[in-house]
Amino acid sequence: MKLAAREVARYCAAPDPQAAGLLIYGADPMRVAHRRQQAVAALIGPEGEGEMRLTRIAGADLRRDPAALMDAIKAQGFFPGARVVLVEDAGDGQAEAIAAALDAWRPGDAQIVVTAGQLKPASKLRKLFEGHQSARAAAIYDDPPGREEIQAELVRAGLSGASGEALDALFALGRTLEPGDFRQTLEKLALYKLDDPAPLSAGEVSRLAPASTEAEADAVIEAAAEAREGEIGPLIQRLAAQGVTPVRLSIAAGRHFRALYRAASDPEGPGKGIARLRPPVWGPRRDRMERQARAWGAERLQAALEVLAETDRTLRSANQTAPQMALMERTLLRLAHLRGRR
């Protein structure tokens, strides 16, 4: 049976204990590993691996010994409780052995959890799980977590409540962090709020969010938007040393200035314009962007977007010979000078 995209997170958090198996596949190994970890923990509990109720079989080993999976699902454990046989990094070459095990599976046997990379619709392994009445197939996409998923993760991490702005902050954060980093951030927030009954706030999310090159890229764009010319050069040098590309900076700057232009052009004023942005802007950054939109005005922001569009075309041109990061630095300095003009 194929799980719909909206069902995957819920099912991996609470798999059917009477199902024969679960296939988790996708292009991002970290996201697949996160869902696999969730599903296995839900099936055997936190002590399951220590009690030897989890058996791991590498896909390559199953290819050499197809009977290993059948033996593992039928084996009786020393400790009572549900058991799982995990087949990692499987492919179509293991489909026949897995099909035999699924056909032989009976209630009381270990549940079969299989992980794989990206599988095409014609994949034998994918078709096997999608067509089996007592098995599930879960495709893991690179989409950021939705609000329902974030709220479930908050409960799992031990956070009892969060304000609407905090949820907006976490939603935005989930779009920039890898799943493992995002989960660790939630756990850090839970520890921070351990003895504090007040709902989680957007400010607390901002203070405990991990620093990243994204934050420094935002910093140099903010410096240009606020005409702080002296900060642009050092920030550009640091970003170049970290491997951030000029094209990435150009895209981020275009996104920021387009948001400011939409806010400044709103008939009800920049404040209402910022409130209508999607994804929503939260906390102190929201106030900062409103101030920027008011200071620039729609006319100068339109001129800034033209400068950025010209730079983007030049960066992507096959005939470009000038150092690209220097070009991006000059563009940001032009923007800062444009903002400083009266």
Side-chain angles (χ1 to χ4, degrees), residues 1 20 99 102-103 127-136:
M1 182 184 301
L102 285 174
D103 287 343
K127 284 186 172 182
L128 169 64
F129 277 83
E130 289 179 351
H132 200 283
Q133 289 300 311
S134 187
R136 310 287 188 274

Side-chain angles (χ1 to χ4, degrees), residues 1-3 8 12 22-29 31-33 35-36 90-91 113-123 125-127 129-130 136-142:
M1 182 184 301
K2 180 181 179 180
L3 294 172
V8 169
C12 288
L22 170 65
L23 168 66
I24 307 172
Y25 68 93
D28 188 331
R31 294 176 190 271
V32 170
R35 294 302 178 202
R36 178 262 301 160
V113 176
V114 179
T115 65
Q118 188 65 46
L119 298 175
K120 296 179 179 179
S123 161
L125 188 60
R126 181 172 162 180
K127 284 186 172 182
F129 277 83
E130 289 179 351
R136 310 287 188 274
I140 308 300
Y141 300 105
D142 292 344

